[in-house]
Amino acid sequence: MTRCWTIRHEPSARTRGLLYAATAVYLAAAHDVSHVAVPENGQLALNLALTPARVAACSTRSVHPYTLSLLNELIHTLGGSMTVVNPYLHLTKGEVCERALRAGLTPATLSSTTLSCGRPPRNRPELHCGCCYPCLIRRSGLLAASGVDSTPYAKDVWALPDHQKAATDRRALHRWLNREFTLRDLVTDMPLPDGLDLAPLLDVVQRGRVELTDMFVRHAGAVGQLNP
């Protein structure tokens, strides 16, 4: 009897973060560079689970402090001397945008020449979808830093009714913001490296929640009352 096995390929791009980091580490080793910087704001580096369905490996944690600590442990165990660091771990998206503005970029430049979408439309990959969690973080950061966001989004997430699938991340984020966030929530589904000061991480999450809440308040007329 002959059996035919169907091979299922991994459809996500979950390993791309590791591939990017490995390439950077390889080049750093080749050029005797001591540090590899992975600049990601603290909100998305921690990438806290908005719902129980997004805990642990169900969400991308490629720049999470624990992930980087394991990567550095591997590098040093194999004899490497460089260290992978995230210089923006204690900054919100808005604070990163503020730094860019102080460096000379304009709000229009930030909106039109940067890409941070988690699900770019297949037919128009140059656009942001406007509905995913990274797009919502992006919008809150740009609004916090400059008061405007002229990013060309494929969809206006604020015009979508709650029952539409495209509004899933908006609903999840909305409910998360209506729940209290504590130190326990910071380590519920993903450990943190031993010895890491948790207070700055909790603080960056709270500041990020303020930016996100301000965004929802700004669009309250579009999505109705801000009830969980």
Side-chain angles (χ1 to χ4, degrees):
M1 179 178 179
T2 302
R3 290 187 177 182
C4 180
W5 298 98
T6 300
I7 300 176
R8 296 184 63 185
H9 296 283
E10 168 58 50
S12 76
R14 289 285 174 81
T15 59
R16 66 180 181 179
L18 178 60
L19 294 175
Y20 292 157
T23 302
V25 167
Y26 172 79
L27 292 173
H31 294 277
D32 198 25
V33 175
S34 61
H35 287 82
V36 172
V38 184
E40 178 66 277
N41 67 82
Q43 292 167 274
L44 289 182
L46 293 169
N47 201 16
L48 299 163
L50 301 182
T51 70
R54 304 185 184 197
V55 300
C58 292
S59 290
T60 301
R61 304 290 171 76
S62 57
V63 196
H64 190 280
Y66 187 61
T67 304
L68 295 188
S69 72
L70 292 177
L71 179 60
N72 285 325
E73 182 180 342
L74 175 61
I75 292 170
H76 299 152
T77 299
L78 294 176
S81 58
M82 78 289 298
T83 301
V84 181
V85 298
N86 178 7
Y88 294 161
L89 177 61
H90 296 137
L91 297 178
T92 67
K93 185 72 167 185
E95 291 161 354
V96 172
C97 291
E98 287 174 1
R99 286 195 174 193
L101 294 174
R102 289 200 301 269
L105 297 181
T106 65
T109 300
L110 283 179
S111 296
S112 63
T113 63
T114 59
L115 182 65
S116 52
C117 181
R119 297 192 296 266
R122 291 185 179 181
N123 59 335
R124 298 193 64 186
E126 76 280 4
L127 291 181
H128 289 73
C129 74
C131 302
C132 67
Y133 182 45
C135 276
L136 291 168
I137 292 284
R138 172 192 180 88
R139 180 180 284 272
S140 71
L142 289 171
L143 291 176
S146 65
V148 296
D149 177 17
S150 55
T151 301
Y153 295 109
K155 290 184 179 180
D156 179 6
V157 69
W158 308 103
L160 299 175
D162 273 349
H163 63 81
Q164 284 200 12
K165 184 177 180 180
T168 298
D169 285 2
R170 188 194 73 194
R171 292 196 307 272
L173 178 58
H174 186 197
R175 294 190 181 102
W176 183 72
L177 290 172
N178 276 277
R179 295 195 300 269
E180 182 184 10
F181 188 87
T182 67
L183 185 61
R184 176 180 292 182
D185 297 310
L186 195 62
V187 294
T188 295
D189 70 314
M190 188 76 173
L192 287 165
D194 293 338
L196 184 66
D197 189 356
L198 302 186
L201 293 182
L202 182 61
D203 192 44
V204 76
V205 172
Q206 300 292 15
R207 297 198 311 275
R209 281 167 64 90
V210 170
E211 292 180 4
L212 290 163
T213 299
D214 289 345
M215 174 183 67
F216 271 92
V217 170
R218 185 184 183 105
H219 294 91
V223 298
Q225 295 297 318
L226 295 180
N227 296 318

